Amino acid sequence: MTLANRITVFLLRLLALGASVAAIIIMVTSHDSAQVLGMTFEAKFSNTPTFKYFVGANILASAYSLIVLFFPTKKLLGRILLISDILMTLLLDSSISACLAIAQVGKKGNSHAGWLPICGQVPKFCDRVSGSLIAGFAAAILYFLLLLFSFHSVLNLYTLKA
């Protein structure tokens, strides 16, 4: 791997780490409360297992990025990093997909199931969840770009052998 590719991968990993950490911080600090029919209703990320999964996936991706930033890029290690990058990309994609489904129900409701939208009552919570999902999308896109670079690096290793 050339020096330019190493710098690009390092910067992508650093940006992905920053986006993942931002998604974690924004999601963990999202909470709001409202009064409905004289009862206090509190919305926070820990009330929804999907949001907990999103935070857990981003914590794992952040820890992975932090560890991998300092790994040398060798032939065998390149293959392991490729597999790990695939797993991290898929993990982030699945957590974002699950969160988007819950966020859509929270924002629009579901008239067929009788679920009412909650974003009218707790707009601060919904705005923070939206911000967290945007940061999560940025992290997933950066991991996808890292995945492309990893594929490119591993394929170059095979063509250099032949």
Side-chain angles (χ1 to χ4, degrees):
M1 185 184 271
T2 66
L3 182 62
N5 283 350
R6 286 183 191 171
I7 292 172
T8 304
V9 168
F10 181 81
L11 288 176
L12 281 173
R13 287 200 190 279
L14 200 59
L15 288 171
L17 173 65
S20 291
V21 168
I24 294 165
I25 291 170
I26 295 169
M27 182 64 82
V28 168
T29 59
S30 63
H31 56 83
D32 198 1
S33 60
Q35 273 203 309
V36 179
L37 300 173
M39 296 173 33
T40 302
F41 167 68
E42 188 176 9
K44 50 187 174 176
F45 93 98
S46 60
N47 294 343
T48 308
T50 305
F51 292 158
K52 290 181 189 177
Y53 172 57
F54 177 78
V55 169
N58 276 291
I59 288 172
L60 189 61
S62 297
Y64 168 74
S65 288
L66 193 59
I67 291 168
V68 170
L69 275 175
F70 304 106
F71 273 17
T73 52
K74 303 280 186 206
K75 290 181 184 180
L76 178 61
L77 198 55
R79 293 179 192 149
I80 293 170
L81 287 179
L82 174 64
I83 293 168
S84 300
D85 285 343
I86 290 170
L87 292 175
M88 285 303 126
T89 303
L90 292 174
L91 182 69
L92 285 176
D93 287 345
S94 71
S95 71
I96 288 170
S97 298
C99 277
L100 278 175
I102 295 299
Q104 178 68 18
V105 170
K107 187 171 183 151
K108 303 283 185 184
N110 186 335
S111 60
H112 302 291
W115 297 335
L116 299 174
I118 66 162
C119 285
Q121 287 76 32
V122 285
K124 184 177 140 188
F125 173 74
C126 290
D127 291 342
R128 297 205 45 104
V129 167
S130 297
S132 179
L133 288 174
I134 290 169
F137 264 120
I141 290 169
L142 290 166
Y143 270 103
F144 181 72
L145 291 173
L146 276 168
L147 185 61
L148 293 178
F149 267 99
S150 294
F151 273 129
H152 178 70
S153 298
V154 169
L155 290 176
N156 276 350
L157 288 175
Y158 284 124
T159 56
L160 291 177
K161 282 184 177 178

